[in-house]
Amino acid sequence: GGDAVCAVETTGGRRKVGPKELLEVQKVMRMDIVAAPAEEVPLDTSGARRMNRAVSRAGDWLKELLDAKAQDEDLTSFDWHILAGIQGCADVKLRQKACAAAAALPVSGFWVGGL
């Protein structure tokens, strides 16, 4: 729980998923592209604490995926790409911070959430 997972809506109901679960799926499915998980926070959210937490979590989860991709033998044996999740709600400066942090990492692209 806590910062280790995010809730994901599926056809089977809400499930808690984090980088560890995503990496286990990747070892089996060997997808070409993986979108890093991120906490979706709607644009109309105004709580600075919640917005900052979403950006921080997305960055932490992204780093966990990238570390595993570089070091885990089961994940280095094939070519795959990671997209960074950019959060920040309507706070432009927070989104810029998230973009700068993700762009400094070896990602293949970006997806924008919370719109």
Side-chain angles (χ1 to χ4, degrees):
D3 287 345
V5 297
C6 61
V8 177
E9 295 294 334
T10 72
T11 56
R14 183 175 280 208
R15 296 183 184 248
K16 294 196 179 219
V17 178
K20 287 178 179 48
E21 293 80 11
L22 183 58
L23 289 166
E24 289 304 315
V25 171
Q26 179 61 347
K27 288 177 183 179
V28 174
M29 296 186 67
R30 296 178 151 217
M31 298 168 280
D32 294 330
I33 300 171
V34 172
E39 178 184 8
E40 280 289 313
V41 181
L43 269 178
D44 60 355
T45 300
S46 60
R49 183 174 174 200
R50 182 160 183 222
M51 291 186 298
N52 281 297
R53 183 182 68 196
V55 170
S56 178
R57 280 182 174 174
D60 291 346
W61 293 337
L62 175 61
K63 289 174 190 168
E64 189 172 336
L65 291 179
L66 290 168
D67 287 346
K69 182 181 184 234
Q71 298 172 10
D72 187 319
E73 289 180 16
D74 293 331
L75 296 168
T76 60
S77 63
F78 61 100
D79 190 34
W80 58 290
H81 307 277
I82 298 175
L83 303 179
I86 304 300
Q87 297 295 319
C89 303
D91 186 325
V92 174
K93 288 186 180 184
L94 192 55
R95 282 194 185 271
Q96 289 172 334
K97 176 183 170 187
C99 287
L105 299 171
V107 297
S108 299
F110 308 91
W111 69 269
V112 179
L115 299 177

